[in-house]
Amino acid sequence: MKNIGFFLLVLVLIVQPVTAQVQQEDFKPEDMTTFIIQVPHGVEGNGLAVGNSTLSAYLFFESYYDGNMNVTVELNLPKGFVLRETPVHSFSLQTEYDDWYRLIDFYIPADTPCGVYNITAKAVVDVEGTKHTIVRTTQLKVASKEEVANEVSVSQLIVPSDEDGYGDPSHPSNTLVVQETSPALKKLLTVTDLKVEKDDLTSTYMGIELTNAGNSTIPVIVTYDILDAKTGEPVKAFKPEIMGMKADTVCYATVTLSPGSSSLISLPMYISPDAMGGDYLLRVKVKLTGSDWIAVTKEQKIAAISRRWGPIITTFTASLLGITALGFFLSRPREIMDRFKTRNLVLIALFGTVSFAAINLPMTILWELSHAIFGPFSFLFTGLFNEILLYMLIASLVVLIPKPGVISLFMMVRFLLGGFITGSFTPITFITLSVNAVLLELLLYTAGITGKNPAPDNRLRMGILCGFADMAGSYVSFSVWMVLYRLFYSDWYIAANILIDGFLYTFIGTWFGISLGNRLKKVAE
């Protein structure tokens, strides 16, 4: 037995070194490790820099070996480059997926000749006493400032934008919406000791499109300033302190531009309550990573606009007018209805139903279709129904029943049918219809078209009055949409709608409506 035990011990001593040697022979450095060098940090491939820059070389090592390894990493820079710390680092990785990384700073002197420089990193891996060497090399191009300035450009500035840098169609371009209004109102609030509840900051985004026309990967830092258009001085209200930090610490982006590519990035824009409306100059600055030198600047005029009080006051007044008109009708329903004969009420209900069937129902489909086909000019098509056909019915009804209240009852029928059948019981529908009804009633009664001695046959007078009433109603409608749904409409769009849809189409519809009313009147007689 002693001989057998001795034999086994000898066998183990012989086999164990052989097994270890086999494991070492199976260790393949390229397959069982990852060794990466990036110069500057974040650039995969060949980087670019200018003289008088301080950069960081990024070294990363990861082990896929299920065991201990000792690693020594050394960074070798070209002659003339100045290291800020030791280039040699030693460490141990204990097991699989264990890793190590460092940022090693170095300086490129201003007088460094332009050219392409090789930067090498060497890792010596010691596994079970056997050393393996891994070498990585990357290139850094030192270019002149003129060369970099010709390669990098800011193609486009989009203000405001969404978080991805794309334009925000709900706001006018090149504008920032500030919370407060005019200096006069601010002063008035101070004098009267009134306060307006405001958020500390409002924010939006700015889209910046960058282009790299060169053959090197270029790391850049992008930031911006908003300057007073007159003095050229930065306006702190547009880059306020955020949680105790300067806005510059959060309003920047680091981007790596690939050769021959364009990138769209976004930067946050903060607006303090002290910001004032007016014209400003947006200046975007692009710096190369590691340098304070500004490679590219792009300026664009922007405007800060405050809350528009006109639509707010209009909406409030229109709402009050609609509620008052409804209250007046509900307080005297019998007195109002007794002014009409039964056949008049039947005729009003018939016209209201026809308008709903001929205008409201088709427009539920044609509205979206016309927007898809005609875009912002769809009002030229929808106005054929909403204005010409509608006012043909209104004018002919007034010719048949020239009494105050007939238009209000007609509008009420439309509102009720639309609400019950299509579910359009909305504040906007109520406000716009009630304002249209009140304005038409007042103008037609004042002009003598309705009343004791009605004269509804004058096409020119009635067309002009209906046109003015519908222009006012159109402006109210835009104001209500802007206030309640926070929509934005360009001034030209509002003006075109008011003039063409509001007046021209209404005048045409009224003109033909009087002819239609006279013919229906002869038929009725």
Side-chain angles (χ1 to χ4, degrees):
M1 292 295 292
K2 290 182 178 179
N3 294 334
I4 294 175
F6 178 75
F7 176 75
L8 291 175
L9 178 60
V10 172
L11 183 62
V12 169
L13 292 175
I14 294 173
V15 170
Q16 188 173 11
V18 173
T19 304
Q21 186 176 359
V22 172
Q23 291 177 349
Q24 292 171 9
E25 291 177 352
D26 289 341
F27 182 83
K28 298 179 180 178
E30 295 294 341
D31 296 337
M32 305 190 73
T33 63
T34 293
F35 185 34
I36 295 174
I37 177 173
Q38 294 178 349
V39 183
H41 177 216
V43 175
E44 296 180 358
N46 300 332
L48 183 141
V50 294
N52 194 25
S53 298
T54 299
L55 302 177
S56 296
Y58 174 71
L59 299 175
F60 175 81
F61 194 97
E62 184 175 17
S63 169
Y64 305 129
Y65 178 65
D66 187 12
N68 181 55
M69 67 170 60
N70 297 314
V71 185
T72 299
V73 172
E74 181 178 2
L75 178 67
N76 296 311
L77 294 175
K79 184 179 179 181
F81 288 22
V82 181
L83 273 169
R84 298 297 193 189
E85 55 181 297
T86 176
V88 181
H89 294 264
S90 298
F91 52 91
S92 296
L93 301 181
Q94 304 300 323
T95 184
E96 191 176 11
Y97 301 117
D98 202 357
D99 59 25
W100 171 94
Y101 66 90
R102 283 290 185 278
L103 289 172
I104 301 178
D105 295 336
F106 64 93
Y107 174 70
I108 303 175
D111 57 353
T112 302
C114 296
V116 178
Y117 295 85
N118 291 326
I119 298 177
T120 304
K122 182 175 68 176
V124 178
V125 184
D126 186 346
V127 178
E128 301 291 343
T130 302
K131 296 184 178 180
H132 306 268
T133 301
I134 308 172
V135 178
R136 295 286 184 269
T137 300
T138 188
Q139 291 183 328
L140 179 67
K141 180 179 179 181
V142 178
S144 65
K145 293 181 178 179
E146 292 76 13
E147 183 181 357
V148 175
N150 291 331
E151 293 180 353
V152 181
S153 63
V154 178
S155 309
Q156 189 178 9
L157 297 180
I158 304 171
V159 181
S161 73
D162 58 17
E163 295 182 5
D164 297 323
Y166 295 99
D168 184 358
S170 63
H171 290 82
S173 59
N174 297 324
T175 59
L176 300 175
V177 179
V178 300
Q179 297 186 48
E180 201 34 65
T181 57
S182 63
L185 180 57
K186 281 187 172 182
K187 189 175 181 180
L188 179 63
L189 293 175
T190 304
V191 173
T192 58
D193 200 26
L194 294 175
K195 294 182 179 179
V196 177
E197 294 296 333
K198 298 172 293 186
D199 298 331
D200 291 337
L201 291 173
T202 55
S203 62
T204 182
Y205 291 89
M206 165 178 48
I208 305 171
E209 187 177 21
L210 300 167
T211 300
N212 176 13
N215 299 319
S216 302
T217 302
I218 304 178
V220 296
I221 300 174
V222 186
T223 184
Y224 69 90
D225 285 318
I226 295 180
L227 311 175
D228 188 301
K230 296 180 180 178
T231 65
E233 296 294 326
V235 182
K236 294 183 179 179
F238 291 104
K239 294 189 76 173
E241 289 190 354
I242 302 170
M243 294 183 293
M245 298 184 295
K246 291 184 177 179
D248 285 334
T249 60
V250 294
C251 296
Y252 76 95
T254 58
V255 189
T256 300
L257 301 174
S258 301
S261 67
S262 294
S263 299
L264 181 63
I265 65 170
S266 67
L267 282 179
M269 304 179 77
Y270 298 95
I271 308 167
S272 76
D274 297 329
M276 304 296 296
D279 295 328
Y280 295 92
L281 185 65
L282 171 64
R283 177 179 293 167
V284 172
K285 299 178 291 186
V286 181
K287 297 181 180 180
L288 243 62
T289 299
S291 173
D292 282 337
W293 171 65
I294 300 174
V296 180
T297 60
K298 186 176 181 63
E299 297 179 346
Q300 184 165 297
K301 292 181 179 179
I302 61 172
I305 59 173
S306 59
R307 185 183 291 111
R308 294 183 176 181
W309 286 97
I312 295 175
I313 295 174
T314 302
T315 302
F316 176 76
T317 305
S319 303
L320 192 61
L321 185 63
I323 294 172
T324 303
L326 179 62
F328 179 77
F329 176 81
L330 295 178
S331 63
R332 303 178 181 180
R334 183 176 294 278
E335 184 178 347
I336 295 173
M337 299 301 287
D338 287 346
R339 295 171 58 86
F340 298 95
K341 298 177 181 179
T342 303
R343 64 180 183 182
N344 294 149
L345 296 176
V346 171
L347 194 60
I348 293 171
L350 177 62
F351 270 69
T353 305
V354 170
S355 71
F356 174 76
I359 300 173
N360 291 43
L361 288 181
M363 286 309 299
T364 56
I365 300 174
L366 296 176
W367 182 268
E368 299 295 338
L369 186 62
S370 64
H371 277 69
I373 297 175
F374 301 109
F377 301 102
S378 60
F379 67 90
L380 298 175
F381 172 75
T382 57
L384 300 177
F385 293 85
N386 288 333
E387 307 300 336
I388 294 181
L389 187 54
L390 174 63
Y391 276 88
M392 279 183 66
L393 294 173
I394 291 177
S396 60
L397 183 61
V398 171
V399 170
L400 294 172
I401 311 172
K403 294 181 179 180
V406 63
I407 297 176
S408 298
L409 292 177
F410 171 82
M411 293 292 188
M412 188 176 295
V413 172
R414 291 191 67 205
F415 178 69
L416 293 175
L417 286 175
F420 283 116
I421 296 177
T422 64
S424 60
F425 275 131
T426 64
I428 291 180
T429 306
F430 168 74
I431 294 172
T432 53
L433 287 181
S434 59
V435 167
N436 274 350
V438 171
L439 291 175
L440 284 170
E441 294 282 7
L442 288 175
L443 289 177
L444 296 184
Y445 182 79
T446 305
I449 294 176
T450 59
K452 292 183 179 179
N453 299 309
D457 293 334
N458 191 323
R459 290 183 174 86
L460 180 61
R461 181 173 57 178
M462 191 167 175
I464 292 175
L465 291 175
C466 289
F468 280 125
D470 200 71
M471 288 173 67
S474 298
Y475 179 74
V476 170
S477 178
F478 278 114
S479 300
V480 173
W481 279 99
M482 285 189 287
V483 172
L484 298 185
Y485 287 88
R486 293 189 174 185
L487 296 181
F488 163 75
Y489 299 98
S490 297
D491 292 339
W492 73 266
Y493 183 77
I494 296 176
N497 267 271
I498 289 177
L499 292 176
I500 297 176
D501 265 18
F503 187 82
L504 181 60
Y505 281 5
T506 299
F507 185 86
I508 295 173
T510 305
W511 187 279
F512 289 112
I514 292 176
S515 299
L516 176 63
N518 288 328
R519 292 182 181 179
L520 292 174
K521 195 174 182 180
K522 291 179 181 178
V523 173
E525 293 172 353

